[in-house]
C-alpha cells in the first residue's frame, strides 16, 4: 500500500510541493518604488490556501498584481533585488496599494516550490516590479 505521507517532511503525500512548504512568511523589500509590509501564506482549515498582506504599502498603479515566484529573491551586483529564474504565478489582480489584504491562491494544489512573492505593476510598456518578499 502506498505511503500517505512524504518521508522527508511528514506532510500528506497528496499535497503539492508548494503546499508542503506552508506556512510561508516574508518581509517586502523595495524594488521600483518604496514597498513595505509582510506576507504570510497559509492553508486554512477548509483546505484553501491564502496570502495575507499585513502593514502593506507600495506605489500607486491602476493594475497592481501579486505574483508567486519559483525563483528565490536575490540581490544582484548593482544592489538591486530580483527573483531568480523560474515561473511566476499571477494570484491576485487589482490589489490595493496599502493596508491589510487577503487573497486566495488558486491552483495551489499543482504548484512547485515557491521562494518569493512580487508586487507587479501590470501596466504597459514597463511592467515594473514594485517590491518583493523572500519566503521562508
Amino acid at each position: 500500500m502506498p505511503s500517505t505521507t512524504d518521508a522527508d517532511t511528514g506532510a500528506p503525500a497528496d499535497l503539492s510541493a508548494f503546499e508542503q512548504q506552508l506556512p510561508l512568511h516574508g518581509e517586502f523589500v523595495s524594488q521600483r518604488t518604496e514597498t513595505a509590509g509582510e506576507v504570510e501564506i497559509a492553508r486554512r482549515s477548509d483546505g484553501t490556501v491564502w496570502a495575507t498582506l499585513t502593514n502593506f504599502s507600495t506605489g500607486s498603479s491602476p493594475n497592481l498584481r501579486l505574483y508567486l515566484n519559483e525563483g528565490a529573491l536575490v540581490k544582484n551586483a548593482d544592489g538591486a533585488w530580483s527573483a531568480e529564474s523560474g515561473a511566476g504565478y499571477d494570484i491576485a489582480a487589482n490589489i490595493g496599494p496599502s493596508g491589510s489584504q487577503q487573497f486566495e491562491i488558486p491552483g495551489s494544489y499543482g504548484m512547485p516550490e515557491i521562494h518569493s512573492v512580487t508586487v507587479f505593476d501590470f501596466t504597459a510598456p514597463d511592467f515594473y516590479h514594485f517590491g518583493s518578499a523572500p519566503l521562508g
Side-chain angles (χ1 to χ4, degrees), residues 20 24 45-46 57 63 65-66 80 85 92 109 128-129 135:
Q20 291 180 37
L24 292 168
S45 61
D46 66 0
S57 66
N63 195 1
R65 296 187 182 200
L66 193 62
S85 64
Y109 56 84
Y128 291 121
H129 294 184
L135 297 172

Side-chain angles (χ1 to χ4, degrees), residues 111-133:
M111 287 185 183
E113 285 190 9
I114 298 296
H115 299 284
S116 61
V117 61
T118 298
V119 177
F120 190 62
D121 176 9
F122 200 74
T123 305
D126 298 314
F127 303 101
Y128 291 121
H129 294 184
F130 276 11
S132 293

